[in-house]
Amino acid sequence: MDPSTPQLSRALADAALVQRIADRRPEALSDLYDRYSPMLLALANRILGGQAEAEDVVQETLLQVWHKASSYDPARSSVSTWLVLLARSRSIDRLRTRKVGERTATAAHAETPRTHTSPRGPDDVLSRERQERVQRELEALPAEQRQVLELAFYGGLTQAEIAEQTGTPLGTVKTRTLLAMKKLRAALREEIRELL
Amino acid sequence: MSEERVEREDQAIMLALEMGAGKATAPAARGTGDEAVETMVRLYTEALGMMPHALDPIAPSAGLKGRLMLAAAGDETQEVKSSLVQRSMTAALQVPPPPATKSRQRPPTQPVASPASITRQASRWPLRLAATLAVGLLGLSGWLAWQVQEQNGEIARLRTEARQAKEAGQELVRMREAMRSLEGNVALASSASVLVCPLRTAVGAPSGLSTVGMRAVLYVATDHQHWFFTARGLKESPKGQDYQLWFVANGRPVSGGTFSLKPGEVAHLSSATMPAGTTAVSVTLEHQGGSVLPAGPQVLYGDQMQQVL
């Protein structure tokens, strides 16, 4: 392993892990679970606002990976992002089955629930650095830009729905979203490069 | 940056946001046909994919991994089983014809499968069986771990419920005793020929110990033995001190018991015996636990026994 590019090595290791899962190796699924379940659980919990339901989402997501690992296309996304999209999709599907009012309260305005940090292994020093970096960059966004981004990503709301919910003109919502995304991408350029 | 490029970038951002937002298949997932846009979609998708990394990770419950591995192992077993069935069916369809027919269809010079290849094919079955068993055991161990955890949780919950039920039972006994005592006191206070002795704030009593609406009464049954004392509106007993009830019989004080009060509480004392020759009743403030003889300031006093019914 090249110590200068630990994240890059991790991205490659992730891809190899998915390949082994496609070869029906349960221990590879176990490794993927160890590596990503705390982050996926935090994501589902942020969207759904309850750990029990969030755990169901994580189980369904990783079971989907177990069944569909061969469909993973590294040209489309990194393993990390693929898992995030799968878990987000399942969480938002569940969210949409709830009442609109409940969804609004849970996804958009609820504070991030109290969480329990999982035990950290040696690899997780890098994860913690990445967490701090992403947190910093998100916090650096103007509040109104961060709000539309979180409503779109965690709430699964369309631009029109965000405009309606926040009482903001649609054009303003789009402008804020585009600005937020461009800033985020620019700020996380290095991290994204490591995943590609 | 050209206007066209800006438009493409904006389009890519919107496509990236749509990806994975529920069941709807995003257009980007199907491909836009525009390589530049698809590259940008990829970059913005990765940027979005970084967002959950900002959240504090959550440790899954102990049983989650077991459930996942069990589910995966269960599916694997199903797949192996169906594979075995399929192989069996295929093998059944490929059963060689009877020897007589075989001898007609296959010339004697046709090569026969070597014993080694037969052995190799046969030797795969134990391996597959072992693999299936291993996967099954892995799942089973996960399931068992989950079961143990669930049972431990259930035991803890039942213990808590048992403790609460015991406490509730004890509280019920206390309340029943209090109810019985109250019923007895009410019966005494409302009985015919009951004697009533109202107590009033004593001359020289410390200020601030009784309220404007203070009311204290001693009820004595016709047998001159059973009595019931109640006081409402007395202030909280000072720290380290108790109120003490005294019967004045033949000029000598005899203790009727002590009581302490919290704000708003009503004092109740009762007994089945009373000193003979009682002519007056008094309440003093004594040190905690009471005194043998009155030593503290007198708070209430009453000497007017009246028959009201």
Side-chain angles (χ1 to χ4, degrees):
Chain A
M1 182 186 284
D2 180 1
S4 65
T5 55
Q7 290 285 1
L8 200 58
S9 301
R10 180 165 174 164
L12 291 173
D14 283 348
L17 212 49
V18 172
Q19 182 55 53
R20 285 168 59 210
I21 292 173
D23 293 336
R24 319 303 286 162
R25 304 281 294 273
E27 70 277 10
L29 179 65
S30 171
D31 288 351
L32 195 75
Y33 170 94
D34 291 340
R35 193 172 290 184
Y36 283 107
S37 60
M39 185 268 284
L40 295 177
L41 193 53
L43 166 64
N45 194 30
R46 173 72 173 76
I47 293 173
L48 294 166
Q51 183 158 344
E53 199 174 4
E55 288 201 344
D56 288 344
V57 166
V58 171
Q59 184 178 345
E60 288 170 6
T61 301
L62 291 175
L63 210 52
Q64 184 179 0
V65 169
W66 175 248
H67 289 303
K68 307 283 184 188
S70 56
S71 69
Y72 167 66
D73 182 2
R76 283 205 184 283
S77 68
S78 61
V79 170
S80 166
T81 299
W82 183 52
L83 292 173
V84 165
L85 292 181
L86 290 177
R88 178 188 173 227
S89 174
R90 285 186 172 275
S91 300
I92 289 175
D93 279 347
R94 282 174 175 253
L95 198 60
R96 283 180 177 153
T97 62
R98 295 180 185 171
K99 293 176 184 174
V100 172
E102 190 182 345
R103 175 176 73 174
T104 305
T106 307
H109 298 305
E111 291 187 4
T112 305
R114 289 180 66 82
T115 55
H116 309 282
T117 306
S118 62
R120 302 231 173 219
D123 248 7
D124 287 329
V125 176
L126 294 169
S127 298
R128 177 171 286 179
E129 285 175 1
R130 180 156 63 184
Q131 181 190 359
E132 287 169 358
R133 179 79 198 276
V134 180
Q135 271 177 355
R136 203 166 50 243
E137 298 304 339
L138 281 170
E139 282 165 8
L141 292 175
E144 67 276 11
Q145 292 179 15
R146 190 168 63 244
Q147 184 196 27
V148 292
L149 199 57
E150 290 184 343
L151 284 169
F153 186 76
Y154 292 120
L157 301 185
T158 64
Q159 300 290 289
E161 286 170 335
I162 295 172
E164 187 184 348
Q165 186 170 306
T166 59
T168 310
L170 180 59
T172 308
V173 169
K174 283 185 177 173
T175 305
R176 286 176 181 171
T177 306
L178 294 172
L179 280 172
M181 286 292 288
K182 286 173 184 173
K183 284 180 190 172
L184 191 64
R185 181 196 149 192
L188 299 176
R189 184 179 288 113
E190 284 303 309
E191 278 77 5
I192 294 169
R193 189 183 65 78
E194 286 161 358
L195 291 174
L196 299 179
Chain B
M1 189 184 291
S2 72
E3 199 169 307
E4 185 188 0
R5 179 173 161 71
V6 172
E7 279 180 13
R8 284 178 157 184
E9 189 170 5
D10 292 353
Q11 183 194 357
I13 290 171
M14 291 304 166
L15 290 173
L17 275 170
E18 286 171 25
M19 281 188 75
K23 282 179 178 169
T25 308
R30 297 193 296 269
T32 60
D34 185 331
E35 196 176 328
V37 171
E38 284 186 8
T39 303
M40 282 191 278
V41 169
R42 167 80 196 268
L43 293 173
Y44 280 110
T45 303
E46 294 293 349
L48 281 172
M50 298 295 294
M51 282 182 65
H53 291 276
L55 302 173
D56 285 325
I58 298 176
S61 64
L64 180 59
K65 189 173 185 179
R67 291 200 297 275
L68 171 68
M69 298 312 291
L70 182 65
D75 292 345
E76 185 71 12
T77 310
Q78 288 301 315
E79 283 172 22
V80 171
K81 278 181 184 168
S82 62
S83 167
L84 288 173
V85 170
Q86 197 172 15
R87 282 165 197 272
S88 304
M89 289 174 69
T90 309
L93 290 172
Q94 290 175 347
V95 168
T101 313
K102 190 167 63 178
S103 63
R104 281 200 303 275
Q105 287 182 344
R106 191 169 63 191
T109 53
Q110 189 172 347
V112 185
S114 70
S117 69
I118 292 169
T119 308
R120 272 199 304 275
Q121 283 182 356
S123 64
R124 286 179 191 160
W125 287 100
L127 283 174
R128 286 187 181 128
L129 185 61
T132 306
L133 286 173
V135 170
L137 282 173
L138 185 67
L140 184 64
S141 60
W143 180 78
L144 285 172
W146 174 69
Q147 282 286 312
V148 168
Q149 195 205 2
E150 290 283 305
Q151 283 175 5
N152 285 342
E154 185 66 11
I155 288 167
R157 190 181 64 77
L158 288 172
R159 276 184 182 152
T160 306
E161 284 182 0
R163 195 185 66 245
Q164 288 171 343
K166 188 177 174 186
E167 287 170 359
Q170 290 169 343
E171 181 64 21
L172 186 63
V173 169
R174 277 195 296 272
M175 288 178 74
R176 278 182 179 156
E177 285 173 358
M179 182 67 80
R180 265 197 296 274
S181 170
L182 193 62
E183 282 172 358
N185 292 335
V186 168
L188 188 155
S190 59
S191 65
S193 305
V194 64
L195 291 173
V196 178
C197 178
L199 283 84
R200 295 190 171 79
T201 304
V203 178
S207 59
L209 284 177
S210 61
T211 62
V212 175
M214 194 281 297
R215 185 167 179 270
V217 181
L218 174 75
Y219 298 91
V220 183
T222 48
D223 62 1
H224 289 264
Q225 286 297 301
H226 288 83
W227 59 268
F228 167 49
F229 169 79
T230 177
R232 185 187 303 272
L234 273 180
K235 290 288 181 65
E236 179 181 10
S237 31
K239 190 174 182 183
Q241 289 183 296
D242 282 339
Y243 291 106
Q244 188 163 6
L245 178 71
W246 301 95
F247 296 107
V248 182
N250 302 320
R252 298 172 61 88
V254 178
S255 177
T258 61
F259 58 94
S260 60
L261 291 175
K262 288 178 183 171
E265 278 188 342
V266 178
H268 293 298
L269 283 179
S270 61
S271 174
T273 57
M274 196 172 92
T278 296
T279 54
V281 189
S282 169
V283 172
T284 61
L285 196 59
E286 304 293 335
H287 62 76
Q288 203 161 29
S291 307
V292 178
L293 289 172
Q298 185 171 248
V299 180
L300 303 173
Y301 180 80
D303 57 3
Q304 301 293 316
M305 290 274 187
Q306 300 164 7
Q307 193 166 18
V308 292
L309 292 175

